[in-house]
């Protein structure tokens, strides 16, 4: 079937289902609805953005859902009584959630904050890797502060939310389950519930009550950097998991109080159509019709609500150009009205600041749209002040505030928070042996086995237990790489195996299996073995990323990650059979690797239990592959390419040796560059140029070759070494009264608005060769008459002759007035003085050990 024909069939189905109501079974057998999402559909979906759509929702077209009874009359009476005793400031505090990096226990006492969270890079005492006892102690400190009574604020315990998205993944030593994409391949709702229960138990050990999970996104474009957080591109598959995950975490809806059992509250996110944005751009715009919105992206919310999910998190993204965090129709009329959601709706990280007419400091529109709690990591204090004024002057009706507060209190009542005592006294608290317990790890290992998808096998699998196995590839012994983003840190980068006590790398699992089978294993990431092996396992694939940092423009592995392909070729040339194991958050164009290997396994992001891979390589205890693709695997890297493997594809060992037709190795697109890298190895990356300008205009030189002279010889440019030969450029500036600028620039502006929303920094890898004789500044430009300049005093004190990474938070430029939506020059250094420095790289990223303050 051609792609077009497939789409037409799918769309017909989608439309007919639309008339009938809700999807209750997979819309298709062999292809993913991903294809449907970009199919032109005439009247219904329109031919693109401006066609016939508005952001107006018609709740009456959506199914009504029943919200279970989650608190009784006495509970409701208690909520109302509390509400009656709360003054305005007390109420406003209750709907705010700050990040533990900026909220002290004293702040909880002063501002009565209803909740705290730990963002991906936050930990107790500023330490992401703090031990579990420190998390629990901090939970106690917040709790104690929250129950201190004051004049017009009765004691109301604070609740703490955390991103336990694949296990209690911010905690060292916790069990790390496969990311959701792998679980989607497992097709096992029962397993999902057990994972939810194990995760909840581990969260309770360190004293939190709330996880921002499960992500119930239905990704339609796998270029999206968060696609791996979703179970599948198929709404029916996602929907089949959601209710079970919610029950695993919270217990059945009748569970009361939740904290009396080994449970926490869940949050389905990100409402709505986070996985439906145009071109798969994170925090982007879903330009789809209401039918698609309902059938694809709405489907998971039905089981979530039926199972009493306590909270829903709205998406950063928009529908038809309107940010969800300010969309009254979707949040109030649909979710709370038609769908009867009775819990609380929380925004995402400073998402209110992206709503039209709002800033991080002020956003009545979000509350008026129906949001009950604002995730205001570092902006809560400003919001507290602006909200007080907005309620006083009637911009926000008191009734709306009361409704929001009542919803927060109902969740707390349902948790049993008012009677639970301090976190360390509750069930499972401090039982540190439960973090990464044998029982939980066994569930995770089972999940790994069930998630592996076998795409090719010429008969080399299963490996013989007594064989000599070479384990190669850059991902072979790297637990952080198996675990992916949202692991200990936000991006999951910068970690070593030592930070994963009790975990097993793929190499560790294979070595143990080989030993117990009477065989042997050798680790050699570059494939240079000492003992000639009977077979080689080559582990390759993506490195960790989270959110927009993982966005791609095409579905291919970055060039720097393709090294293991050469290893596969070399081993094959030596007559050694190769099993390729791919670590990845998504399907990518890897035809060359598929051709090169004798067997090919997609392992997704399996987490801490690498032993699960070895179980299947050796078919231990008769285990066989059963994972099936939770999305289509594309034949080329370009968007909309036809499928190579259909939705649901996956071989088993029982299928026996399979023939193989050599695949074309042209990806169909240019090489994928790393987004957010403007200069690498001293050279501008595609679309960028490096210039030396006279500040204020006039003379300018585009640096294309070195050595070079610019500005009448006042600037000398040369190649110097950094990591590799000539991996940097050196600029020798003589004093220049009109000023000299070294600039990276482009003619097609980039939008880094969403990147400016967190801790992301503009990083420059540089070396001061002779210190500046005068002030130095850094500028970002947004067109001809738009720029933000900030001083760089730090440069003066950098040790000469040493390479360092100098980081400036992106948000500093935004604050200084840059229009982050159309940056034409992300990095321009200016000085009037003399200065010699060398520059190797300019990119976006984070520095774990650096405080993200704006230079003054
Ligand atoms: C993410 C959410 C997450 C929140 C808290 C946001 O940036 O989009 O998924 O729950 O941060 O870390
Ligand atoms: C935080 C994450 C958050 C992200 C949003 C990061 O700095 O650590 O939790 O999701 O910013 O952009």
């Amino acid at each position: 079937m051609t792609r077009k024909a497939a789409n037409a069939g799918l769309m017909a189905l989608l439309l007919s289902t639309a008339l009938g109501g809700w999807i209750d079974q997979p819309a298709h057998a062999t292809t993913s609805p991903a294809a449907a999402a970009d199919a032109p559909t005439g009247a219904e979906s329109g031919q693109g953005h401006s066609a016939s759509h508005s952001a107006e929702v018609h709740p009456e077209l959506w199914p009504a859902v029943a919200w279970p009874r989650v608190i009784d009359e006495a509970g409701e009476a208690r909520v109302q009584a509390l509400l009656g005793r709360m003054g305005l400031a007390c109420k406003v505090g209750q709907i705010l959630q700050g990040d533990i990096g900026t909220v002290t226990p004293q702040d909880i006492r002063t501002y009565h904050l209803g909740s705290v969270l730990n963002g991906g890079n936050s930990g107790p005492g500023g330490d992401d890797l703090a031990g579990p006892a420190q998390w629990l102690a901090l939970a106690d400190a917040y709790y104690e502060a929250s129950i201190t009574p004051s004049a017009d604020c009765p004691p109301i315990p604070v609740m703490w939310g955390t991103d336990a998205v694949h296990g209690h993944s911010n905690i060292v030593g916790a069990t790390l389950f496969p990311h959701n994409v792998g679980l989607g391949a497992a097709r096992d709702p029962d397993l999902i519930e057990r994972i939810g229960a194990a995760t909840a138990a581990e969260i309770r050990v360190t004293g939190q009550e709330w996880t921002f999970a499960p992500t119930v996104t239905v990704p339609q474009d796998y270029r999206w950097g968060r696609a791996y957080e979703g179970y599948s591109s198929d709404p029916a598959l996602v929907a089949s998991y959601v209710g079970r995950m919610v029950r695993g975490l919270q217990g059945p809806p009748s569970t009361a109080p939740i904290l009396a059992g080994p449970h926490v509250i869940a949050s389905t996110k990100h409402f709505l159509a986070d996985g439906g944005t145009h071109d798969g751009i994170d925090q982007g715009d879903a330009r789809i019709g209401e039918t698609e919105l309902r059938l694809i992206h709405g489907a998971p919310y039905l089981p979530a609500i039926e199972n009493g999910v306590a909270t829903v998190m709205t998406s950063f993204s928009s529908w038809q150009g309107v940010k969800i965090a300010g969309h009254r129709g979707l949040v109030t009329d649909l979710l709370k009205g038609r769908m009867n959601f009775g819990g609380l709706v929380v925004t995402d990280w400073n998402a209110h600041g992206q709503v039209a007419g709002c800033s991080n400091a002020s956003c009545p529109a979000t509350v008026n749209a129906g949001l009950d709690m604002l995730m205001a990591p570092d902006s809560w204090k400003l919001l507290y002040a602006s909200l007080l004024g907005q309620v006083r002057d009637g911009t926000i009706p008191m009734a709306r505030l009361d409704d929001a507060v009542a919803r927060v209190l109902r969740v707390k009542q349902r948790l049993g928070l008012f009677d639970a005592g301090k976190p360390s006294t509750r069930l499972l608290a401090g039982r540190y042996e439960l973090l990464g317990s044998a029982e939980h790890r066994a569930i995770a290992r089972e999940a790994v086995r069930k998630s592996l998808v076998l795409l090719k096998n010429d008969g080399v699998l299963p490996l013989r237990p007594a064989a000599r196995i070479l384990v190669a590839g850059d991902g072979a012994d790297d637990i952080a790489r198996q675990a992916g983003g949202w692991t200990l840190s936000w991006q999951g980068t910068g970690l070593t195996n030592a930070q994963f006590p009790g975990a097993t790398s793929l190499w560790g699992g294979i070595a143990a299996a080989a030993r117990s089978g009477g065989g042997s294993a050798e680790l050699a990431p570059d494939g240079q073995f000492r003992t000639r092996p009977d077979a080689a396992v080559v582990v390759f694939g993506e490195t960790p990323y989270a959110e927009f940092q993982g966005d791609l423009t095409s579905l291919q592995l970055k060039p720097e990650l393709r090294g293991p392909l050469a290893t596969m070729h070399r081993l094959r040339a030596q007559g050694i059979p190769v099993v390729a194991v791919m670590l990845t958050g998504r399907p990518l164009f890897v035809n060359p690797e598929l051709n090169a290997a004798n067997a090919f396994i997609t392992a997704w992001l399996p987490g801490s239990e690498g032993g699960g891979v070895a179980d299947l390589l050796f078919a231990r205890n008769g285990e066989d592959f059963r994972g099936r693709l939770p999305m289509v695997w594309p034949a080329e890297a370009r968007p909309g390419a036809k499928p190579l493997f259909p939705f649901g594809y996956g071989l088993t060992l029982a299928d026996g040796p399979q023939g193989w037709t050599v695949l074309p190795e042209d990806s169909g697109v240019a090489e994928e560059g790393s987004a957010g890298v403007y200069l690498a190895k001293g050279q501008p990356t595609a679309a960028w140029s490096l210039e030396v300008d006279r500040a204020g205009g006039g003379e300018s030189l585009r640096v294309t070759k070195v050595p070079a002279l610019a500005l009448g010889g006042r600037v000398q440019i040369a190649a110097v070494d950094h990591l590799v030969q000539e991996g940097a450029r050196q600029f020798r500036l003589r004093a220049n009264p009109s000023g000299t600028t070294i600039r990276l620039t482009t003619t097609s502006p980039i939008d880094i608005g969403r990147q400016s929303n967190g801790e992301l920094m503009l990083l420059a890898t540089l070396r001061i060769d002779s210190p500046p004789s005068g002030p130095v500044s850094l500028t970002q430009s947004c067109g001809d008459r738009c720029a933000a300049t900030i001083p760089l005093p730090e440069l003066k004190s950098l040790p000469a002759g040493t390479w360092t990474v100098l980081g400036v938070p992106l948000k500093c430029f935004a604050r200084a007035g840059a229009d982050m939506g159309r940056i034409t020059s992300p990095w321009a250094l200016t000085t009037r003085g003399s200065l010699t420095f060398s520059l190797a790289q300019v990119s976006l990223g984070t520095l774990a050990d650096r405080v993200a303050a704006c230079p003054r």
Side-chain angles (χ1 to χ4, degrees):
M1 189 160 52
T2 66
R3 174 166 185 269
K4 211 165 169 190
N7 284 347
L10 271 174
M11 224 40 227
L13 222 148
L14 214 70
L15 291 177
S16 67
T17 331
L19 304 173
W22 208 270
I23 275 191
D24 57 6
Q25 57 185 34
H28 47 82
T30 54
T31 45
S32 157
D38 59 14
T41 61
E44 181 48 43
S45 264
Q47 302 285 340
H49 190 194
S50 55
S52 56
H53 297 318
S54 71
E56 195 190 326
V57 62
H58 301 85
E60 69 281 5
L61 298 178
W62 294 61
V65 186
W67 170 254
R69 182 182 177 129
V70 293
I71 55 174
D72 57 13
E73 270 154 42
E76 181 62 24
R78 192 169 183 184
V79 165
Q80 295 304 331
L82 267 177
L83 197 57
R85 290 167 55 204
M86 295 168 74
L88 177 60
C90 180
K91 290 178 181 174
V92 164
Q94 204 50 220
I95 69 166
L96 290 173
Q97 180 181 58
D99 184 89
I100 63 168
T102 69
V103 177
T104 62
Q106 182 56 44
D107 290 330
I108 297 281
R109 211 169 285 136
T110 311
Y111 298 95
H112 319 294
L113 298 187
S115 179
V116 291
L117 87 149
N118 61 290
N121 285 335
S122 302
D127 181 6
D128 238 3
L129 304 176
Q134 286 162 270
W135 292 79
L136 185 55
L138 185 58
D140 273 357
Y142 285 136
Y143 173 88
E144 299 281 12
S146 70
I147 59 160
T148 321
S150 64
D152 58 356
C153 204
I156 303 172
V158 67
M159 36 180 201
W160 181 339
T162 187
D163 291 289
V165 295
H166 62 133
H168 194 12
S169 46
N170 283 284
I171 305 293
V172 173
T175 311
L176 299 169
F177 296 93
H179 267 295
N180 286 353
V181 63
L183 300 180
R187 305 290 205 282
D188 188 339
D190 178 65
L191 169 68
I192 298 303
E193 185 164 340
R194 287 185 284 130
I195 290 175
T199 304
E202 296 204 13
I203 298 171
R204 293 294 299 277
V205 171
T206 55
Q208 290 69 41
E209 301 93 0
W210 182 5
T211 174
F212 303 128
T215 306
V216 302
T217 185
V218 192
Q220 299 300 295
D221 188 328
Y222 278 81
R223 291 177 295 172
W224 185 36
R226 308 194 76 157
Y228 68 85
E229 295 185 54
Y231 296 116
S232 172
S233 63
D234 179 14
L237 174 48
V238 178
S240 75
Y241 275 8
V242 172
R244 301 299 293 272
M245 183 50 106
V246 168
R247 291 173 93 90
L249 290 163
Q250 301 190 157
S254 57
T255 307
I258 287 181
L259 291 179
H263 299 297
V264 296
I265 54 169
S267 187
T268 41
K269 69 186 188 186
H270 306 83
F271 182 85
L272 183 63
D274 53 348
T277 61
H278 190 65
D279 282 345
I281 292 176
D282 190 42
Q283 304 188 15
D285 185 20
R287 301 169 186 173
I288 56 175
E290 191 174 346
T291 301
E292 219 170 297
L293 189 70
R294 172 164 60 86
L295 293 179
I296 294 181
H297 306 284
Y301 288 89
L302 177 75
I305 293 170
E306 280 173 343
N307 285 285
V309 69
T311 76
V312 168
M313 187 188 294
T314 49
S315 181
F316 276 122
S317 58
S318 312
W319 179 49
Q320 294 298 347
V322 178
K323 286 281 171 183
I324 312 283
H327 201 303
R328 201 189 144 85
L330 287 175
V331 176
T332 297
D333 303 340
L334 175 62
L335 180 62
K336 293 177 165 181
R338 179 71 176 170
M339 296 173 88
N340 286 305
F341 173 64
L344 75 84
V345 188
V346 62
T347 53
D348 203 342
W349 186 274
N350 275 336
H352 60 273
Q354 296 186 28
V355 171
C358 293
S359 67
N360 283 1
S362 168
C363 192
T366 283
V367 180
N368 286 339
L371 274 298
D372 306 307
M373 182 174 275
L374 305 187
M375 186 189 290
D378 53 355
S379 54
W380 54 270
K381 205 181 278 187
L382 296 167
L383 271 182
Y384 177 85
S386 60
L387 284 168
L388 278 177
Q390 288 149 2
V391 180
R392 284 199 188 109
D393 71 14
T395 310
I396 298 173
M398 184 58 97
R400 174 72 269 271
L401 177 64
D402 281 346
D403 171 52
V405 175
R407 283 172 176 264
V408 175
L409 296 179
R410 275 186 207 112
V411 168
K412 293 186 174 182
Q413 168 65 23
R414 181 181 175 196
L415 269 167
L417 204 56
F418 299 112
D419 310 305
K422 64 176 176 181
S424 63
T425 65
R426 302 176 193 159
L427 187 71
L428 305 187
R431 299 259 318 265
Y432 301 119
E433 74 282 5
L434 293 178
L435 295 169
S437 69
E439 191 194 332
H440 295 166
R441 289 190 190 279
I443 299 170
R445 185 164 174 164
E446 174 188 345
V448 174
R449 284 195 297 267
K450 289 179 168 172
S451 67
L452 303 180
V453 180
L454 182 62
L455 294 178
K456 177 181 182 182
N457 183 19
D458 72 356
V460 63
L461 288 179
L463 299 173
R464 281 184 302 106
R468 276 182 314 239
I469 306 297
L470 168 69
V471 183
D474 52 16
D477 190 25
D478 189 341
I479 297 166
R481 194 132 164 216
Q482 291 166 211
W486 296 109
T487 303
L488 301 186
S489 67
W490 178 38
Q491 294 295 322
T493 47
L495 302 164
T496 67
N497 284 358
Q499 280 140 352
F500 296 93
T504 307
S505 71
L506 265 52
W507 149 250
I510 294 168
R515 242 183 336 237
S516 77
S520 65
E522 177 183 345
L523 175 68
D526 62 2
Q528 305 289 354
F529 51 80
R530 273 175 286 118
T531 315
R532 185 184 163 86
D534 299 319
V537 176
V538 181
V539 185
F540 78 107
E542 291 194 304
T543 46
Y545 52 81
E547 301 191 44
F548 44 80
Q549 293 208 34
D551 281 3
L552 294 176
T553 55
S554 65
L555 285 176
Q556 58 187 326
L557 209 52
K558 292 181 178 156
E560 65 269 26
L561 298 174
R562 308 209 71 154
L565 176 61
T567 307
M568 295 182 207
H569 283 142
R570 194 157 19 83
L571 292 165
R572 287 300 301 275
Q574 292 169 274
I576 297 165
V578 167
V579 180
V581 177
M582 183 178 182
L583 297 171
T584 186
R586 52 190 151 198
L588 295 173
F589 171 82
V590 284
N591 286 8
E593 287 82 357
L594 278 159
N595 283 334
N598 300 72
F600 191 105
I601 298 164
T602 305
W604 314 109
L605 299 169
S608 59
E609 303 317 302
V613 175
D615 289 346
L616 289 198
L617 287 171
F618 293 96
R620 300 179 81 205
N621 307 315
E623 293 282 357
D624 198 351
F625 290 85
R626 47 168 279 175
R628 297 193 287 127
L629 290 179
M631 80 295 279
V632 164
W633 195 286
E636 287 176 19
R638 69 193 160 78
K642 62 181 187 333
L644 174 61
F645 300 112
F647 179 84
Y649 187 79
L651 299 168
T652 64
L653 296 174
D655 293 333
Q658 303 286 309
W660 183 257
T661 312
V662 176
L663 301 169
E665 300 202 350
D666 180 1
S667 73
V669 290
E671 271 195 354
E672 178 75 24
S674 297
V677 180
Y678 310 116
L679 182 97
K681 296 187 186 142
Q683 309 217 41
T685 57
W688 296 99
S689 40
L690 179 63
E691 289 177 5
V692 179
D693 302 336
R694 193 170 78 105
E699 302 161 71
S700 170
L701 173 84
R702 186 166 160 199
V703 184
T704 49
K705 52 179 181 358
V706 278
L709 288 179
L711 311 193
R714 278 195 297 270
V715 181
Q716 296 174 22
I717 308 133
V720 292
D721 294 350
H722 173 250
L723 299 182
V724 294
Q725 201 176 354
E726 303 202 347
R729 295 289 170 269
Q730 186 186 57
F731 300 88
R732 188 176 296 275
L733 277 54
R734 274 201 268 135
N736 178 0
S738 49
T740 303
T741 300
I742 313 296
R743 183 199 313 276
L744 278 159
T745 177
T746 183
T747 48
S748 30
I750 53 162
D751 179 356
I752 47 174
R754 62 209 165 104
Q755 284 86 338
S756 323
N757 179 36
E759 299 160 17
L760 210 65
M761 293 183 166
L762 180 63
L763 304 177
T765 306
L766 50 75
R767 183 183 68 192
I768 300 299
D769 300 314
S770 86
S773 65
V776 182
S777 63
L778 201 59
T779 302
Q780 284 202 335
S781 314
C782 27
D784 282 347
R785 259 175 226 90
C786 171
T789 297
I790 56 174
L792 267 192
E794 216 182 323
L795 214 64
K796 260 212 141 89
S797 48
L798 290 180
T802 311
W803 285 98
T804 41
V805 181
L806 189 70
V808 179
L810 270 185
K811 61 187 170 202
C812 304
F813 295 100
R815 275 184 207 153
D819 176 351
M820 307 307 280
R822 48 184 186 105
I823 295 295
T824 46
S825 170
W827 194 93
L829 178 145
T830 301
T831 186
R832 289 172 203 263
S834 62
L835 163 69
T836 304
F837 73 103
S838 302
L839 185 63
Q841 171 150 333
V842 176
S843 61
L844 301 184
T846 47
L847 287 177
D849 57 338
R850 225 52 86 73
V851 184
C854 294
R856 294 162 185 273

